[in-house]
Amino acid sequence: MNDIWRKIKLWMEVPSLNPDDARRRKFLNIILVGSIILSTFLLVILIWLRFTTPREIWIAQGNNIILGVTFGILMGSILLFILNHYLRGWLAGGLFLILMTVGIAYADSPQQLVAGRSTFLFAVPIILASVLMPSWTAFLATGLCILILGSLQVQLTGNIIDALPAFLGFTFIALLVWLSARSLEMALKELRSINVNLDHLVQERTQELANSLSRERIEAGRNKAILESIADGVIVFDINGTAIIANRSSVRLLATTYNDIVGSTVDELGQSKALDAQSGEYLTRMLTSPGEQATSRHIDWGRRTLSVTSARVNDSQGLHIGTVAVFRDYTPEAEIERMKNTFLAIVSHELRTPLNAILGYAEMIKEAIYGPVNEKQVNASDRIMANSFRLLEIVSDLLDHAQMEAGKLALHVKPFRPADLVENVHGVMDKIAADKGLVLTSELDPDLPDQIKGDIARLQQILVNLINNAVKFTDKGTVHMSLLQSGRKSWCLTVTDTGIGIPEAEITNIFEAFRQVDSAVTRNYGGFGLGLSIVKRLVELMKGDISVASQLGSGTSFTVTLPLKLAKRIIE
């Protein structure tokens, strides 16, 4: 059914370069089809009447003329429908109007036509002229109708005055039809003009979009080439944590396929079988909550050690739209680090024995175990012991650092009293602070539980390192230590001094191993640059966090926040 309807519509259309001509010829085809259908119907009725009506009555009514006219209109309509596809539009339309006008003139007797029974039919070709041809042809059709009607009027009555009302009516109809058709033509002309402008505008915009798309493709190709040429692995995640871009190096470093990376989530990447639980946790945390500044971390991925750096991706308005992660093969450097740490651990361990022996013999000499000693010998023994203690502290720091880097440092968690921790720290650091003319004060929050769980030895090491650092860089004033409750699930250790302070630009670097603020400070105060690094690694091992606030000339404050683990008897 759709094919039949499509073919009918195709027959109605007449291709033409002039849109007005194509529109009028289509209308002519529609009218011709309607004329063919009506003429056929009327012809069938007339033929039926011809055989059912007496011949005398049929002839007396003049039906033979009507039958002939109907047949003529039918044949003419069929012929014009065919010719409309080949002749010019105005010629086919003009022939149809002439056929229609002549048919109306002979469709009724001249007496009845002049008397008014069929006069109104002349309005049909006038109206059709404005539809099938240019609007001004309505006046030509009107003139033809007036000429035919006037000729019949003169032949029958010899008086044309009686036909004037019909003439005026036809003229008025022609005027109205002309106005309507003219308005339609002007509207179509303006619409076509608008369409032409729109076409030009669309072409311009299309060309601009094509040029822009071409530039984007060139830029995307250049960026892809740059990305693929990078030796480090690069993965870009969207705001939902799904990988959307990955280069070949990332596939090689992670020992997987491109399809396994692109489309996967941060959680899925962190749960890879090539990662241990701790490395997976670090990786997920880095990629889920990246900071404004790029952060780096070393993780073990299968047999490789990778350096992972993550950073936020912001749009032009500064809104967070994703995360970029860069993976670098750190395996050779990690091997060197492990060898160095192993060497440091061995050397540190081997140095402890002779140092302890030196301390023991120096103390025995000082105590006159081997005989009387004079004052100079006592002073020499004191210097030997002081420097040996200093060396032993350095060796202990080196050993702790090596164990942390190797992941072999274990915590011994058990219940302890915070008050005991404060007392132990005072026992170690009071004399050191007093020797420099400083006062070490402390504060224990009464809301803190009497017993909590943790490694008291490592907590003491954290506080001793922080206080020792504070004493070293404070010439006058006080050093204050406080243990405070920090919310329902955490507690904090704070060490505050009134020392020289830390420049803001150096705060992010002070926790690096073997790193101090500047050479002048190192020369004036000494130090090996491991204390704060060890503190940070111990805090991370305890699942805590350390922060620092400092102002040059006014002092520094370190705050260690740790999870609060209550002892069992306190929970019960």
Side-chain angles (χ1 to χ4, degrees), residues 316-570:
S316 56
Q317 283 76 35
L319 298 177
H320 179 210
I321 59 173
T323 305
V324 61
V326 179
F327 296 81
R328 185 171 68 86
D329 190 355
Y330 194 74
T331 305
E333 293 90 337
E335 287 294 332
I336 296 173
E337 286 287 336
R338 278 191 284 269
M339 292 172 62
K340 181 197 71 175
N341 292 331
T342 302
F343 174 75
L344 287 177
I346 294 172
V347 171
S348 300
H349 181 73
E350 294 299 326
L351 284 176
R352 280 191 171 188
T353 301
L355 282 174
N356 285 325
I358 292 171
L359 281 171
Y361 281 112
E363 189 171 0
M364 285 189 291
I365 291 172
K366 179 183 177 181
E367 296 297 331
I369 300 297
Y370 299 107
V373 292
N374 57 36
E375 185 176 354
K376 290 183 178 182
Q377 291 172 328
V378 172
N379 291 335
S381 297
D382 288 336
R383 290 186 180 183
I384 292 172
M385 292 175 63
N387 286 281
S388 296
F389 274 120
R390 177 62 183 149
L391 280 174
L392 192 59
E393 289 177 359
I394 293 174
V395 169
S396 297
D397 286 345
L398 286 172
L399 185 58
D400 287 342
H401 175 73
Q403 288 179 333
M404 290 175 186
E405 290 293 327
K408 296 180 179 179
L409 185 67
L411 297 177
H412 302 284
V413 179
K414 58 183 179 179
F416 72 93
R417 296 176 65 249
D420 293 340
L421 176 60
V422 173
E423 184 178 348
N424 293 344
V425 172
H426 272 293
V428 174
M429 298 304 300
D430 277 346
K431 184 177 184 305
I432 296 175
D435 288 345
K436 200 172 179 182
L438 302 174
V439 177
L440 175 62
T441 60
S442 61
E443 175 187 1
L444 182 61
D445 192 344
D447 294 333
L448 204 61
D450 291 337
Q451 282 194 354
I452 57 179
K453 293 177 68 176
D455 190 333
I456 188 171
R458 294 301 179 182
L459 289 171
Q460 180 177 328
Q461 184 179 2
I462 290 173
L463 285 173
V464 167
N465 277 339
L466 291 177
I467 295 172
N468 190 49
N469 200 64
V471 170
K472 183 190 301 182
F473 296 103
T474 303
D475 294 329
K476 58 181 179 178
T478 60
V479 175
H480 182 69
M481 164 184 60
S482 57
L483 277 64
L484 305 172
Q485 179 92 16
S486 177
R488 296 178 57 187
K489 297 183 179 181
S490 59
W491 64 298
C492 63
L493 313 173
T494 303
V495 175
T496 305
D497 62 58
T498 57
I500 61 175
I502 305 171
E504 185 177 356
E506 294 290 341
I507 288 180
T508 56
N509 302 322
I510 60 175
F511 294 108
E512 295 180 12
F514 308 105
R515 178 70 176 265
Q516 289 188 323
V517 172
D518 57 53
S519 58
V521 173
T522 303
R523 287 194 298 269
N524 292 335
Y525 296 97
F528 206 59
L530 277 178
L532 292 179
S533 174
I534 292 173
V535 167
K536 183 173 178 61
R537 296 299 295 270
L538 285 174
V539 170
E540 290 177 348
L541 198 60
M542 295 177 183
K543 308 296 183 184
D545 182 63
I546 184 169
S547 60
V548 57
S550 182
Q551 187 174 0
L552 282 176
S554 300
T556 304
S557 177
F558 286 89
T559 301
V560 175
T561 303
L562 300 170
L564 182 60
K565 299 179 180 179
L566 300 179
K568 287 186 178 180
R569 70 182 190 85
I570 298 296

Side-chain angles (χ1 to χ4, degrees), residues 129-390:
S130 65
V131 175
L132 302 179
M133 299 179 71
S135 57
W136 54 269
T137 58
F139 294 108
L140 290 180
T142 301
L144 180 61
C145 293
I146 290 174
L147 180 62
I148 294 173
L149 191 60
S151 298
L152 292 175
Q153 185 73 29
V154 171
Q155 290 178 6
L156 293 175
T157 64
N159 183 10
I160 201 172
I161 301 299
D162 294 337
L164 288 179
F167 296 164
L168 292 174
F170 291 152
T171 304
F172 186 71
I173 291 173
L175 180 62
L176 292 177
V177 169
W178 175 78
L179 288 173
S180 300
R182 182 63 178 171
S183 299
L184 177 61
E185 290 174 353
M186 295 300 295
L188 290 175
K189 185 177 180 180
E190 291 178 3
L191 181 60
R192 291 191 188 103
S193 177
I194 293 173
N195 286 337
V196 170
N197 293 333
L198 286 175
D199 288 341
H200 286 307
L201 186 61
V202 169
Q203 289 178 359
E204 291 176 0
R205 293 292 182 267
T206 302
Q207 187 62 40
E208 290 177 2
L209 287 174
N211 294 337
S212 176
L213 182 59
S214 178
R215 290 193 298 269
E216 289 292 335
R217 286 177 177 172
I218 293 173
E219 186 66 24
R222 185 183 296 113
N223 291 339
K224 185 176 181 180
I226 294 173
L227 187 64
E228 293 297 339
S229 66
I230 297 175
D232 296 337
V234 178
I235 303 177
V236 180
F237 299 87
D238 61 16
I239 190 65
N240 298 317
T242 302
I244 56 175
I245 298 175
N247 65 352
R248 294 179 184 176
S249 297
S250 64
V251 175
R252 175 179 56 82
L253 290 175
L254 301 184
T256 183
T257 64
Y258 180 84
N259 292 332
D260 287 338
I261 296 178
V262 175
S264 64
T265 64
V266 169
D267 292 335
E268 291 172 347
L269 194 64
Q271 294 171 2
S272 173
K273 295 180 180 179
L275 287 170
D276 57 33
Q278 187 176 21
S279 296
E281 182 181 347
Y282 284 141
L283 182 61
T284 303
R285 190 186 308 168
M286 287 177 63
L287 301 181
T288 304
S289 304
E292 292 292 342
Q293 301 295 328
T295 57
S296 297
R297 185 84 188 187
H298 296 158
I299 62 172
D300 292 326
W301 189 284
R303 296 182 178 181
R304 297 179 187 268
T305 299
L306 302 180
S307 173
V308 185
T309 303
S310 67
R312 291 165 59 99
V313 178
N314 298 330
D315 60 11
S316 56
Q317 283 76 35
L319 298 177
H320 179 210
I321 59 173
T323 305
V324 61
V326 179
F327 296 81
R328 185 171 68 86
D329 190 355
Y330 194 74
T331 305
E333 293 90 337
E335 287 294 332
I336 296 173
E337 286 287 336
R338 278 191 284 269
M339 292 172 62
K340 181 197 71 175
N341 292 331
T342 302
F343 174 75
L344 287 177
I346 294 172
V347 171
S348 300
H349 181 73
E350 294 299 326
L351 284 176
R352 280 191 171 188
T353 301
L355 282 174
N356 285 325
I358 292 171
L359 281 171
Y361 281 112
E363 189 171 0
M364 285 189 291
I365 291 172
K366 179 183 177 181
E367 296 297 331
I369 300 297
Y370 299 107
V373 292
N374 57 36
E375 185 176 354
K376 290 183 178 182
Q377 291 172 328
V378 172
N379 291 335
S381 297
D382 288 336
R383 290 186 180 183
I384 292 172
M385 292 175 63
N387 286 281
S388 296
F389 274 120
R390 177 62 183 149

